[in-house]
C-alpha cells in the first residue's frame, strides 16, 4: 500500500486520509498528523484482529506551507518476532524518507498485519469516523493530488511522481484524484477503477492556484471537515478548505 498527497495544513494536526468506521470496528487504515506535526499511520489486520501503529519521533509537518507527504506499508517486510520494528511502514516528506519513527501495538493486536482489513468503510479525506460514530480528526487546511496505490512504491518513484501529474494508467495505481474539474460536485478518479468522489454538504470553492513545482498543474481543494461525511469530499482546481472542527 502507498498513500500520497500534497497538503497545506493550517495547523499540524488532523486526518489526511482514512478508510475507517471505528464505531463498527471497520478500520482498514488511518493516516494523520498528530502531536503538532508528527506523521501517524495505523493499519489493521483483515478481520480486525489487531493493528500496526507507527509514527515519526518528531514533528515533520510544517503548518502554513505546501508539502508532499507519502506513506508506504509493506506487509512482507515485517519482523514477526518484534512488533516494535518499523521497517514495514515508511514515511516521506517532500520525497525524503523520515527514518526516525517508532512503532506501537494496537489495543487488540495479536500479531503482525499480514493482510489489510478489507472492510466497507469509504475512503475519506480530511476526516474519519471515531468509535462513537462521530466525525473526528478534522484536517484544517488544503489537500491536493491524492493517490492510493495497491503496491509499495520505492523512494525513487515517490520522489519522481510528486512533481508531476500522472496519467491514471500507471501499474498499481488504485485511485487518483487530480481535482482539475473546477466546477460541479464530482471529482473524477483518473484510473480505470472510476472511484469518483462526491462533494457534499457545505463545501465551497476557493479559486487559488497553489502548487508550482515543475510538472504540477496548480490546483487545490478544501472543505468544511465538520460537515463532510462524504465518501470522498474532493474538489479540484480550486481550494476546498477544511476548518478542522
Amino acid at each position: 500500500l502507498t498513500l500520497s498527497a500534497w497538503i497545506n495544513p493550517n495547523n499540524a494536526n488532523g486526518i489526511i486520509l482514512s478508510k475507517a468506521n471505528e464505531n463498527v470496528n471497520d478500520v482498514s487504515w488511518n493516516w494523520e498528523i498528530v502531536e503538532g506535526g508528527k506523521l501517524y499511520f495505523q493499519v489493521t489486520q483483515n478481520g480486525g484482529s489487531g493493528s500496526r501503529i507507527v509514527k515519526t519521533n518528531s514533528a515533520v509537518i510544517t503548518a502554513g506551507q505546501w508539502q508532499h507527504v507519502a506513506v508506504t506499508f509493506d506487509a512482507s517486510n515485517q519482523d514477526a518476532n518484534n512488533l516494535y520494528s518499523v521497517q514495514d511502514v515508511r514515511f516521506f516528506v517532500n520525497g525524503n524518507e523520515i527514518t526516525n519513527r517508532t512503532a506501537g501495538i494496537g489495543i487488540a493486536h495479536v500479531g503482525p498485519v499480514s493482510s489489510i482489513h478489507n472492510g466497507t468503510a469509504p475512503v475519506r479525506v480530511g476526516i474519519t469516523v471515531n468509535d462513537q460514530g462521530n466525525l473526528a480528526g478534522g484536517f484544517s487546511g488544503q489537500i491536493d493530488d491524492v493517490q492510493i496505490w495497491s503496491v509499495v512504491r520505492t523512494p525513487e518513484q515517490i520522489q519522481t511522481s510528486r512533481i508531476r501529474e500522472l496519467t491514471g494508467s500507471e501499474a498499481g495505481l488504485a485511485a487518483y484524484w487530480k481535482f482539475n474539474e473546477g466546477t460541479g460536485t464530482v471529482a473524477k478518479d483518473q484510473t480505470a477503477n472510476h472511484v469518483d468522489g462526491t462533494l457534499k454538504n457545505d463545501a465551497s470553492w476557493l479559486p487559488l492556484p497553489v502548487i508550482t513545482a515543475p510538472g504540477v498543474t496548480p490546483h487545490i481543494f478544501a472543505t468544511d471537515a465538520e460537515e463532510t461525511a462524504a465518501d470522498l469530499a474532493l474538489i479540484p482546481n480550486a481550494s476546498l478548505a477544511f476548518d478542522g472542527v
Side-chain angles (χ1 to χ4, degrees):
L1 175 72
T2 302
L3 309 175
S4 69
W6 280 91
I7 64 171
N8 181 11
N10 293 331
N11 56 64
N13 292 285
I15 293 286
I16 302 171
L17 292 172
S18 77
K19 190 178 188 309
N21 287 326
E22 295 185 11
N23 57 316
V24 291
N25 294 320
D26 183 6
V27 179
S28 296
W29 38 261
N30 275 313
W31 183 30
E32 59 187 301
I33 308 167
V34 300
E35 300 173 11
K38 297 179 181 179
L39 283 175
Y40 168 105
F41 183 69
Q42 174 192 8
V43 61
T44 301
Q45 171 68 24
N46 197 22
S49 60
S51 61
R52 292 274 293 142
I53 297 173
V54 178
K55 68 179 178 180
T56 59
N57 291 342
S58 60
V60 295
I61 299 302
T62 303
Q65 72 179 40
W66 282 97
Q67 53 232 280
H68 185 267
V69 291
V71 61
T72 65
F73 172 68
D74 184 356
S76 68
N77 195 26
Q78 293 182 77
D79 183 349
N81 298 315
N82 180 11
L83 296 180
Y84 292 97
S85 63
V86 296
Q87 65 263 32
D88 54 335
V89 176
R90 303 172 73 180
F91 296 107
F92 300 84
V93 177
N94 293 327
N96 300 310
E97 184 173 3
I98 308 300
T99 57
N100 293 321
R101 58 201 190 280
T102 301
I105 298 177
I107 294 173
H109 205 299
V110 296
V113 175
S114 59
S115 177
I116 298 174
H117 177 65
N118 184 22
T120 60
V123 172
R124 294 183 174 92
V125 178
I127 203 75
T128 192
V129 171
N130 66 16
D131 56 5
Q132 302 298 312
N134 300 317
L135 296 176
F139 178 94
S140 176
Q142 299 162 318
I143 305 176
D144 187 34
D145 209 61
V146 173
Q147 302 174 14
I148 300 177
W149 297 77
S150 62
V151 296
V152 180
R153 305 207 80 206
T154 67
E156 293 75 20
Q157 289 171 326
I158 292 170
Q159 177 71 262
T160 299
S161 65
R162 73 184 181 88
I163 58 172
R164 59 176 53 89
E165 290 183 335
L166 307 179
T167 65
S169 61
E170 289 79 2
L173 185 59
Y176 177 36
W177 301 278
K178 292 183 179 181
F179 317 133
N180 282 353
E181 290 83 356
T183 61
T185 60
V186 176
K188 292 288 186 180
D189 172 20
Q190 301 300 312
T191 75
N193 296 321
H194 302 298
V195 187
D196 296 339
T198 301
L199 175 63
K200 297 182 179 180
N201 303 316
D202 294 331
S204 59
W205 293 90
L206 302 177
L208 290 172
V210 289
I211 300 174
T212 58
V216 177
T217 300
H219 54 267
I220 56 178
F221 81 91
T223 191
D224 184 330
E226 183 178 27
E227 299 295 332
T228 302
D231 291 359
L232 288 167
L234 313 175
I235 293 299
N237 220 22
S239 176
L240 184 64
F242 293 87
D243 66 8
V245 176

